[in-house]
Amino acid sequence: MSGTATRAMRLLAGMSGRSIAAVKTPSRGVLAGLVLVGMAPQFLPEFYVTLLNYIGLYAMVALGLVLLTGVGGLTSFGQAAFVGLGAYTTAALTATADLPGWLAWAGGSAWLALLIGLALTALVAVVLGSMTLRLSGHYLPLGTIAWGISLYFLFGTMDFLGGHTGLSGIPPIEVFGVPLDEGREIYYLIWAFLLLAMLTTRNLLDSREGRAIRALKGGMVMAESMGVDTSRSRMIIFVVAALHAAASGWLYAHMQRFVNPTPFGLSTGIEYLFMAVVGGAGSVWGALIGAGVITIMKQWLQDVLPALFGASGNFEAIVFGVMMVLILHRARDGLWALIARCLPASRATVALDPSAAPLPHRTQPSRGEVILEAREVTRRFGGLVANDRMSLQVRAGEILALIGPNGAGKSTMFNQLSGVDTPSAGDVLFRGRSIAGLAARDIARLGMSRTFQHVRLLPGMSVVENVALGAHRRGSCGVLPAAWRLDRDEEARLLAEAARQLERVGLAEQMHEEAGSLALGQQRILEIARALAADPCVLLLDEPAAGLRLLEKQALGQLLRKLRAEGMAILLVEHDMDFVMGLVDRVVVMEFGQKIAEGLPDEVQRDPAVLAAYLGDVQ
Amino acid sequence: MNPLNPPVLEVRNLSVAYGKVEALTRANLRVGEGQIVTVIGPNGAGKSTMLSAIIGLLRSHGQVCFDGRVAVSPEVERMVDGGMSLVPEKRELFGEMSVEDNLLLGAFHRYRSGERNYREPMAQVFALFPRLQERRRQRAATLSGGERQMLAIGRALMGKPRLLMLDEPSLGLAPLITREIFRIVADLRSTGVSILLVEQNARAALAVADYAYVLETGSVVMEGPAARLRHDPRVLDTYLGLGGKHQDMLAS
Amino acid sequence: MDLQIALLIGQDGVTSGAIYALLALALVLVFAVTRAIYIPQGEYVAYGALTLATLQSGALPATLWLLMGAGLAVTVIDGVAAIRKRDGRAWGATLGWNVAYPAVLVLTLSALSPAQLPMALQILLTLAIVVPIGPMIYRLAYQPVAEASVLVLLIVSVAVHVVLVGLGLLFFGAEGSRTAPLWDASFAVGWMTVSGQQICVLAASAALIVGLYLFFEKTLYGKALRATAINRNGARLMGFSPVFAGRLTFLLAAFIGTLSGVLIAPVTTVYYDTGFLIGLKGFVAAIVGGLASYPLAAAGALIVGLLESFASFWASAYKEAIVFTLIIPVLMWRSLHSHGIDEEA
């Protein structure tokens, strides 16, 4: 038992925001905190134990919102309804004397009711999510508002749920035959649940699925190009957040031994969101701090304000609302970020195991084989023809440059080739197979990998984790193995692969730094490493030299030469002629959406049409 | 330093950074009364950044003196009210509104300060771009690339600016239309408006301008009367990235 | 149910649909110009109705104190900025709108006995008190985060909603109120009876919609607001600042909300928190239009109004649940028509 406990503590100690937002955490503080949590019921009066019970329950819900809002950039006002779903499921199953025959099997056991409640919640969340998650981000919260209100009204009107008076007579939870019918007893269960939730959340974020989840906020286009199904990742966090809420509701019902609709309304849903934002939606600790601060303040304000205003009512909401606005104006990362700034830093680094077995490779094509081919690609936007019957071929072991003056249609062409956009006419072939119309993530899976004109990486995440995102499709472990650390073998292989690619591009020394702290040149190299981690047979580079200093350009050129020598096919879109001319094998020049020249760099440079395109017509 | 005339615009030590990347480094520039000044340089040199910073769309360091008033990191609304107008690289038209409405909005800041006569400037714009008059009821989104550029310039002229800044007016336009646009830019000189022209198309820009600055990786690397720079082989180098051996070939 | 009952219910539905349409238009407008999902829109409805009711009872409505308090806060924030820039004119304007105007209003109201005033003047005073709160809220809560993500703006909206509902309880108590009828008459049209109240609501809604249409189509300020919604940067380059656009939008939204409150107050008992549910029904309608299309939003509002009144006839206990469940097919339909990855999430 004690061994497991220390291990849990050590894991929790590592649960700084590092995995979420690179916030610092003192491990000794966590240790002391855990001891304090364990001892609390022994010396605190009943009132405070109850308060701590509530904080634990609320923090569990807020934790789900941290995942959803702080990490995923989504939000929900309907978490209280999920709490209600968990609470009412167990209330109906354990407190109803005569369940209908078809449900009789489910009655009586609180633990069985927990499982049923979680299953029901997951089902509702999946349905709700599948309707809103494909739309822009603000439809989910609007959907959850509507869902929160509807469910609240249903709780209040359904007779078998007791209407507005609710259901009473809920039995206590039994653990190994011991009923937890005192606040001091269920306290341990609540906090065990909370710590477990924090632990599994942290584990999840520190995994293959977790990296995809952390890419949701500001990195979705990039993640899709790395083969990540971002809709799926959004669904995962929405369901996980809902499950946290339902578990909290289950505990709540058995603590109160009574449920009615009031605590599951929209205003409570909003309060949960306040907890996450006030505490700091970027960190698992924010959930705890937020739940603590709001719960304690509420207790206090409910005493003070009605006396102050000479009327009764939920006036604390005014204070919370103003506080929220101020926090969003002044300290958007919440209280935890403010606290963390004052704490000594202890950044854990990702552990790498160089002995991990390498990931399987795809069979690379032989040198000279046509990898990527555009055939008469035309793209129209309304009356504008951005690409007009463009054809080109990229072969294994060569670098092809697509150049042209600004506005010539290079970026549009790049989008046609990389699957971001679909041609109006013509075809794009990848190793002989048409890929026009395929999603970016499916093209990534086939073996095409790209970088971005404006570097797209996750600045708060370490370099090696950023690169590991590129290898997403080469792993397969899902959410549950990640939460319970059953994915470590695969994870080690993914990280080792990322480290290998970083060595290949010469960025090994920066492996554990935050990606955002790198110079622009290094960030571009990082993007190439990330693209290589996908084990591609063609690299598409969108203006890789833009904004680089001379030395950085030289380093980049060397790297590309090396990759070419290894047999890689490389297509680059560039306007930096200096960079292109000394490096590439062939050049395709575009102007007004058309190909105006193709050939060796020296030939193209002397071509009068090219000179005119770049310098303008001689008038 | 461009010596001619009292300056309408004088920029001193203007720097702009995107995060850690400095896009413009201590640039100095002057535009005289009634002058056409051009800033040329390869793509990515920081030309658009410079214009955005001058009008206040981007935060900057350094001074921008416009019409005798000094500003540090200026505010867009104030600069526009003061008579500065920018035709941005992306045109930024109001696509779902008619050509006429787009033009009217160009006169918004004058309308707000009580000057409500828009017929006369609109007649001038239509005289300059007859094509716009033909299409005045059409939605801006349906215009061709050249017409869009005309509308963007016309919209800017509706505000009767003292300084007109044009960001890559030839971008994506066919040679014939580019020539047309540059002819109009040259004609505008007679109306007394000063023009700051940012261009990648160096030959066309140098042909029309009085004075020119060459920008490379965020710094002014060369400046002088346009007529002189037009024959300076070093200008070609900055564009084509031609070092050493190719230079002779191009010079011949 | 016979035809006559159906018509009666339909009439009711159209009347509430007209109100939802107004709110939906305001929501679409606010979202288009500022990207804020304006959850507090419904609060103006409650504030408008309850302010009018308070005036009719002869007391000074507490919304006046909110106007003064918010005005003072704006003055402090903007005043400091104006003094720093040594901008005397800006300082004067700030002082005038945020301190002098509320003060004059308080003095006027104290001098008059509002209960004795004619209805039209009471309504005018209600608008004069509640509507200016809109731009003040924009200044205090939204302007500092105007460039933030839709998500942050949404959370700000929810916070502002919570504050306004809390203040509503403080100002007006938990009791609901009704106001005197706008027009106490009824007319027989065929087999239908149309009440003066219904005519007022429909006429006012129609007038407002036409007025808004003319504002957006015919005036330069209206066009500038549309331009901001289409292209913020372009509008800025014309000298139309996003801050001004935001304040103007919030002024319009507050006007629409307050007027809606005045219109429903004679037939519905309005409580301090009634506005929220009404506003949300406006949202369901606005979502039908994808938060972008005014005509679709108005059509959606009629559907919501009709659905609600038929639902309250057949299954009144499930009325709210049914109306909000409407959002599900709407979202599914929108979801099927969406494609691509939206980075702004």
Side-chain angles (χ1 to χ4, degrees):
Chain A
M1 180 67 204
S2 72
T4 331
T6 32
R7 190 157 164 260
M9 282 179 206
R10 222 181 297 129
L11 283 169
L12 272 168
M15 197 199 292
S16 67
R18 171 189 60 77
S19 47
I20 305 178
V23 185
K24 308 155 251 176
T25 283
S27 51
R28 259 178 224 175
V30 174
L31 219 69
L34 271 180
V35 171
L36 222 63
V37 164
M39 305 278 288
Q42 307 306 321
F43 59 82
L44 283 179
E46 185 73 30
F47 171 78
Y48 290 101
V49 174
T50 310
L51 203 62
L52 280 175
N53 280 346
Y54 278 114
I55 292 177
L57 290 174
Y58 294 157
M60 216 186 308
V61 186
L63 183 64
L65 282 169
V66 162
L67 195 59
L68 204 57
T69 308
V71 183
L74 299 165
T75 203
S76 159
F77 299 109
Q79 295 309 96
F82 287 121
V83 178
L85 204 56
Y88 266 99
T89 307
T90 195
L93 290 177
T94 58
T96 313
D98 40 318
L99 285 169
W102 60 273
L103 249 181
W105 60 274
S109 160
W111 292 97
L112 187 58
L114 171 65
L115 292 182
I116 295 173
L118 290 178
L120 202 59
T121 303
L123 184 73
V124 171
V126 166
V127 170
L128 209 60
S130 58
M131 282 184 305
T132 52
L133 286 173
R134 283 176 42 148
L135 301 170
S136 353
H138 48 269
Y139 283 96
L140 177 69
L142 285 176
T144 57
I145 288 182
W147 133 257
I149 291 181
S150 303
L151 198 75
Y152 173 77
F153 280 114
L154 288 179
F155 285 149
T157 45
M158 300 231 211
D159 286 334
F160 74 95
L161 295 180
H164 281 287
T165 42
L167 292 170
S168 53
I170 301 168
I173 299 167
E174 287 187 17
V175 177
F176 301 117
V178 184
L180 307 177
D181 47 9
E182 294 265 332
R184 281 176 209 281
E185 291 164 2
I186 200 168
Y187 170 93
Y188 285 102
L189 190 63
I190 290 174
W191 282 80
F193 261 69
L194 174 63
L195 293 180
L196 212 62
M198 287 168 81
L199 190 69
T200 48
T201 302
R202 178 251 170 183
N203 285 348
L204 172 61
L205 288 174
D206 181 28
S207 74
R208 172 179 168 274
E209 291 282 7
R211 282 186 291 273
I213 290 168
R214 283 145 75 192
L216 290 177
K217 208 172 175 177
M220 288 214 287
V221 171
M222 176 271 286
E224 286 277 332
S225 295
M226 296 302 129
V228 176
D229 183 347
T230 53
S231 308
R232 183 170 169 274
S233 296
R234 294 169 127 203
M235 184 66 95
I236 288 171
I237 53 173
F238 185 55
V239 172
V240 168
L243 291 178
H244 282 159
S248 167
W250 176 74
L251 286 163
Y252 173 86
H254 290 284
M255 182 180 85
Q256 290 279 342
R257 317 281 290 278
F258 159 77
V259 290
N260 71 346
T262 316
F264 310 125
L266 190 62
S267 58
T268 322
I270 291 173
E271 218 161 83
Y272 285 129
L273 183 67
F274 282 11
M275 289 176 193
V277 174
V278 167
S283 154
V284 286
W285 296 106
L288 194 55
I289 304 267
V293 167
I294 296 275
T295 311
I296 292 167
M297 270 184 76
K298 190 170 177 174
Q299 198 68 41
W300 177 66
L301 288 172
Q302 274 176 344
D303 287 340
V304 176
L305 290 182
L308 186 70
F309 291 142
S312 63
N314 297 328
F315 298 124
E316 72 277 1
I318 303 175
V319 178
F320 290 156
V322 171
M323 189 161 100
M324 275 290 280
V325 172
L326 287 177
I327 281 193
L328 288 171
H329 286 184
R330 306 270 155 157
R332 212 172 287 171
D333 297 329
L335 295 177
W336 171 249
L338 297 181
I339 298 169
R341 220 176 287 161
C342 312
L343 297 173
S346 75
R347 258 182 69 87
T349 53
V350 180
L352 294 173
D353 177 10
S355 67
L359 294 168
H361 284 273
R362 77 176 83 236
T363 12
Q364 289 290 340
S366 52
R367 191 175 294 265
E369 183 189 326
V370 175
I371 306 296
L372 184 64
E373 181 176 8
R375 278 191 195 156
E376 305 261 301
V377 166
T378 299
R379 179 68 173 108
R380 290 184 208 93
F381 297 102
L384 237 62
V385 184
N387 289 151
D388 190 4
R389 281 168 291 135
M390 279 293 300
S391 297
L392 56 82
Q393 287 187 335
V394 193
R395 291 166 208 280
E398 78 162 352
I399 305 180
L400 175 75
L402 182 61
I403 65 169
N406 208 347
K410 306 187 295 286
S411 294
T412 312
M413 189 62 199
F414 191 90
N415 287 343
Q416 312 306 312
L417 292 171
S418 57
V420 171
D421 198 4
T422 310
S424 317
D427 208 352
V428 179
L429 303 175
F430 179 79
R431 300 186 79 175
R433 186 189 149 179
S434 172
I435 55 167
L438 282 188
R441 62 170 180 272
D442 295 322
I443 294 179
R445 193 172 44 96
L446 291 176
M448 175 150 55
S449 211
R450 66 168 293 190
T451 67
F452 294 87
Q453 186 177 353
H454 302 285
V455 176
R456 288 179 192 242
L457 35 74
L458 302 175
M461 204 153 95
S462 71
V463 169
V464 67
E465 286 174 287
N466 263 288
V467 174
L469 199 53
H472 188 80
R473 280 312 262 266
R474 299 170 75 184
S476 60
C477 276
V479 177
L480 286 178
W484 297 103
R485 287 284 185 219
L486 302 173
D487 63 338
R488 290 300 95 182
D489 193 35
E490 183 188 279
E491 179 69 6
R493 295 173 73 187
L494 287 172
L495 288 172
E497 171 70 13
R500 216 167 292 133
Q501 296 303 343
L502 280 167
E503 268 158 35
R504 187 176 178 192
V505 301
L507 215 54
E509 278 175 31
Q510 282 75 26
M511 197 148 340
H512 296 294
E513 286 174 28
E514 268 184 33
S517 72
L518 297 186
L520 181 63
Q522 291 172 320
Q523 293 188 350
R524 287 199 189 279
I525 305 266
L526 186 162
E527 285 215 321
I528 294 177
R530 185 180 65 198
L532 289 172
D535 187 28
C537 33
V538 60
L539 274 183
L540 267 53
L541 310 178
D542 197 353
E543 304 209 355
L548 297 197
R549 295 171 205 287
L550 187 63
L551 280 175
E552 292 175 327
K553 281 185 200 169
Q554 283 171 353
L556 176 64
Q558 254 160 25
L559 170 62
L560 295 182
R561 281 189 193 97
K562 185 173 137 196
L563 293 175
R564 168 176 60 190
E566 291 169 19
M568 183 72 69
I570 300 173
L571 172 89
L572 52 93
V573 165
E574 231 344 308
H575 58 243
D576 185 336
M577 300 280 269
D578 198 7
F579 177 72
V580 166
M581 289 307 170
L583 172 70
V584 306
D585 302 293
R586 284 188 308 125
V587 182
V588 169
V589 190
M590 284 184 77
E591 199 189 11
F592 307 122
Q594 291 173 325
K595 184 156 75 180
I596 58 167
E598 177 168 10
L600 300 173
D602 274 352
E603 296 168 6
V604 164
Q605 232 167 352
R606 280 192 299 261
D607 191 316
V610 176
L611 285 177
Y614 268 81
L615 291 166
D617 268 336
V618 188
Q619 299 195 1
Chain B
M1 179 81 44
N2 180 4
L4 293 160
N5 301 330
V8 173
L9 175 75
E10 181 163 8
V11 172
R12 296 191 206 112
N13 291 326
L14 193 67
S15 301
V16 181
Y18 298 102
K20 272 182 273 178
V21 187
E22 195 156 74
L24 190 66
T25 316
R26 303 176 73 83
N28 290 292
L29 171 148
R30 273 170 133 184
V31 181
E33 194 88 52
Q35 249 189 345
I36 299 182
V37 172
T38 184
V39 178
I40 55 175
N43 199 346
K47 305 187 298 290
S48 297
T49 301
M50 183 191 249
L51 291 194
S52 296
I54 289 174
I55 203 166
L57 282 175
L58 286 175
R59 290 185 144 275
S60 60
H61 294 282
Q63 285 183 340
V64 176
C65 311
F66 176 54
D67 217 4
R69 274 190 300 185
V70 182
V72 177
S73 201
E75 269 176 57
V76 182
E77 292 78 24
R78 288 194 171 212
M79 295 312 248
V80 172
D81 276 343
M84 186 186 280
S85 205
L86 169 66
V87 179
E89 187 182 330
K90 289 185 191 156
R91 296 11 167 190
E92 310 279 15
L93 297 175
F94 308 117
E96 286 128 73
M97 299 173 83
S98 71
V99 166
E100 200 161 24
D101 280 351
N102 270 275
L103 290 175
L104 275 180
L105 284 165
F108 177 81
H109 72 91
R110 288 198 303 119
Y111 180 89
R112 184 172 47 192
S113 51
E115 209 185 313
R116 314 225 151 159
N117 168 23
Y118 57 84
R119 281 177 205 288
E120 173 219 345
M122 191 159 329
Q124 281 172 4
V125 169
F126 283 153
L128 217 49
F129 305 105
R131 198 100 63 95
L132 292 183
Q133 186 161 23
E134 289 164 28
R135 316 211 160 206
R136 66 180 186 280
R137 308 239 177 272
Q138 222 168 301
R139 284 191 314 133
T142 62
L143 298 182
S144 74
E147 289 162 351
R148 282 179 206 202
Q149 184 58 57
M150 290 175 194
L151 179 55
I153 296 176
R155 187 179 65 172
L157 290 174
M158 286 292 291
K160 292 193 173 171
R162 285 178 47 73
L163 174 69
L164 178 65
M165 303 199 290
L166 301 169
D167 194 354
E168 305 262 5
S170 77
L171 184 71
L173 301 185
L176 262 176
I177 299 169
T178 301
R179 214 167 286 170
E180 167 90 3
I181 297 273
F182 275 98
R183 183 186 57 71
I184 287 162
V185 169
D187 283 354
L188 284 177
R189 194 201 306 260
S190 63
T191 65
V193 61
S194 310
I195 294 173
L196 179 56
L197 169 68
V198 154
E199 254 303 338
Q200 186 180 238
N201 188 334
R203 282 178 184 159
L206 290 174
V208 71
D210 302 307
Y211 197 84
Y213 295 84
V214 182
L215 211 57
E216 200 182 350
T217 53
S219 307
V220 175
V221 292
M222 233 187 291
E223 63 173 284
R228 204 188 75 210
L229 288 191
R230 217 180 320 175
H231 304 292
D232 194 325
R234 287 176 302 167
V235 174
L236 299 186
D237 294 356
T238 55
Y239 274 76
L240 291 179
L242 298 169
K245 62 171 182 148
H246 296 289
Q247 204 167 330
D248 300 337
M249 184 237 352
L250 266 158
S252 61
Chain C
M1 178 167 64
D2 61 22
L3 186 65
Q4 205 158 359
I5 297 180
L7 274 175
L8 206 66
I9 297 172
Q11 237 177 307
D12 256 9
V14 170
T15 316
S16 18
I19 298 288
Y20 299 149
L22 289 182
L23 296 175
L25 295 185
L27 294 169
V28 174
L29 172 67
V30 171
F31 184 69
V33 176
T34 66
R35 297 177 303 125
I37 297 197
Y38 201 34
I39 308 276
Q41 178 64 30
E43 267 63 73
Y44 295 109
V45 178
Y47 277 23
L50 293 169
T51 300
L52 181 61
T54 314
L55 283 175
Q56 289 181 348
S57 76
L60 281 188
T63 27
L64 262 180
W65 316 130
L66 175 61
L67 180 69
M68 289 197 79
L72 277 178
V74 173
T75 311
V76 170
I77 298 172
D78 275 354
V80 169
I83 288 171
R84 252 190 222 150
K85 275 191 216 152
R86 305 216 179 95
D87 189 341
R89 253 180 65 191
W91 176 224
T94 306
L95 216 57
W97 279 111
N98 298 294
V99 178
Y101 171 76
V104 168
L105 212 56
V106 171
L107 290 177
T108 320
L109 274 166
S110 315
L112 303 166
S113 50
Q116 260 77 59
L117 294 172
M119 181 91 157
L121 214 56
Q122 288 172 341
I123 292 177
L124 221 59
L125 280 171
T126 302
L127 292 170
I129 296 168
V130 183
V131 175
I133 296 174
M136 290 176 184
I137 287 177
Y138 179 77
R139 175 64 195 91
L140 294 174
Y142 290 85
Q143 191 178 317
V145 286
E147 299 303 317
S149 65
V150 173
L151 181 73
V152 168
L153 289 171
L154 172 62
I155 299 177
V156 168
S157 284
V158 169
V160 171
H161 151 73
V162 165
V163 172
L164 290 182
V165 170
L167 288 175
L169 175 62
L170 184 60
F171 292 162
F172 303 108
E175 297 291 307
S177 307
R178 270 187 200 224
T179 59
L182 292 172
W183 187 17
D184 212 356
S186 62
F187 306 90
V189 182
W191 346 288
M192 291 197 296
T193 319
V194 182
S195 70
Q197 166 70 22
Q198 282 173 337
I199 294 177
C200 280
V201 170
L202 292 177
S205 308
L208 200 53
I209 290 173
V210 170
L212 283 174
Y213 174 80
L214 291 177
F215 174 70
F216 285 119
E217 288 295 323
K218 300 291 173 200
T219 71
L220 199 55
Y221 276 91
K223 284 175 185 176
L225 265 193
R226 268 169 66 211
T228 308
I230 296 169
N231 186 334
R232 282 163 80 80
N233 252 344
R236 264 194 100 182
L237 288 174
M238 302 300 108
F240 192 67
S241 83
V243 168
F244 184 75
R247 290 189 185 185
L248 186 55
T249 308
F250 273 56
L251 187 83
L252 282 172
F255 177 73
I256 294 171
T258 311
L259 195 71
S260 309
V262 167
L263 289 173
I264 62 160
V267 280
T268 320
T269 307
V270 177
Y271 300 86
Y272 71 98
D273 60 351
T274 303
F276 181 51
L277 278 187
I278 298 180
L280 279 184
K281 286 168 195 163
F283 257 113
V284 175
I287 290 174
V288 173
L291 282 174
S293 158
Y294 295 94
L296 275 181
L302 278 184
I303 297 174
V304 171
L306 288 170
L307 186 70
E308 183 190 31
S309 56
F310 281 97
S312 56
F313 178 76
W314 276 315
S316 69
Y318 296 95
K319 180 183 88 173
E320 307 292 356
I322 289 175
V323 170
F324 288 112
T325 312
L326 172 67
I327 207 174
I328 288 175
V330 171
L331 286 174
M332 277 172 99
W333 169 66
R334 291 224 79 89
S335 184
L336 287 177
H337 288 267
S338 83
H339 42 78
I341 300 299
D342 186 359
E343 195 70 85
E344 225 287 316

